[in-house]
Amino acid sequence: MSSKVTNANPEQDIVKPESTMSPSTDTEESAPSESKVVNPEELIDMNTFDQLLDMDDEEDHEFSFSIVTNYFEQAETTFKDMDDSFDKKDLAELSRLGHFLKGSSAAIGLKKVKDTCEKIQNIGNRQDDAGAVLEEADALKRIKDLLPRVKEEYKEAEEYLKNFYEVQDGSGR
């Protein structure tokens, strides 16, 4: 086991100005310049993330950093594919992409992203939270509301993780 210095302190909140958040849709107004407090315990399953850190060498976090960086690239590509699939009203592909990103998110401990991707997966299969069958139009409306949310959850987790690696390695990555 590696000894690790963990600054991924669940008690430490991140304050993020909402004005830096990307707008979720073309029709929504940008949020006023307020601060939003993000609780890392809501974002990250620290047990899962600590297991990833346990795979690092004692000296650095290169292994876990490479896994997280690869996840960032996958997520960005998947979000573009989700947008394209939404434009095509392809619920089956939205479900598949939700399933894919759910698994990747769970592997590094991104709870909120995983949960929202699971909703996209199920709604893409035209099932609501209770398992009832959804009409295509209703499923598309629900996914339209979830896509900006999952992207925002991802941005919050991305900011937290990038900050974690900057603090840990002092590298200013």
Side-chain angles (χ1 to χ4, degrees):
M1 289 285 150
S2 64
S3 65
K4 58 184 181 247
V5 180
T6 303
N7 279 352
N9 182 355
E11 288 80 36
Q12 181 182 11
D13 289 341
I14 299 171
V15 176
K16 179 179 181 183
E18 286 197 23
S19 60
T20 64
M21 296 176 191
S22 58
S24 52
T25 67
D26 294 339
T27 59
E28 289 186 11
E29 297 289 327
S30 295
S33 295
E34 299 173 10
S35 292
K36 180 178 182 181
V37 176
V38 178
N39 181 352
E41 289 181 337
E42 293 176 7
L43 291 175
I44 311 285
D45 176 343
M46 297 312 282
N47 289 330
T48 301
F49 189 62
D50 281 344
Q51 288 175 3
L52 180 62
L53 295 175
D54 283 343
M55 292 186 245
D56 283 329
D57 289 334
E58 288 185 29
E59 307 83 50
D60 63 40
H61 290 289
E62 279 303 312
F63 177 76
S64 65
F65 181 73
S66 70
I67 299 289
V68 169
T69 301
N70 184 271
Y71 169 80
F72 292 156
E73 292 167 4
Q74 277 185 345
E76 294 291 337
T77 299
T78 302
F79 289 139
K80 288 177 187 159
D81 292 345
M82 285 178 163
D83 289 339
D84 291 343
S85 296
F86 181 81
D87 291 343
K88 295 175 186 171
K89 300 181 182 195
D90 188 344
L91 287 171
E93 183 64 4
L94 285 162
S95 177
R96 186 191 73 74
L97 292 166
H99 175 75
F100 171 75
L101 195 55
K102 174 187 77 171
S104 299
S105 301
I108 62 172
L110 303 188
K111 295 190 294 190
K112 288 172 83 172
V113 176
K114 174 192 72 83
D115 291 345
T116 304
C117 284
E118 184 172 15
K119 289 180 184 200
I120 292 170
Q121 175 189 352
N122 292 336
I123 294 169
N125 284 328
R126 294 177 52 182
Q127 293 182 349
D128 68 8
D129 291 338
V133 176
L134 297 170
E135 294 296 321
E136 179 179 4
D138 188 25
L140 287 167
K141 182 194 177 312
R142 291 179 188 212
I143 289 176
K144 180 181 181 181
D145 294 340
L146 289 173
L147 287 175
R149 178 171 130 191
V150 73
K151 291 173 187 177
E152 182 57 36
E153 292 165 349
Y154 163 76
K155 288 295 181 193
E156 291 170 352
E158 179 187 39
E159 181 178 317
Y160 177 82
L161 290 171
K162 284 182 175 180
N163 182 57
F164 170 81
Y165 284 103
E166 286 175 9
V167 169
Q168 287 299 303
D169 296 337
S171 63
R173 292 179 201 227

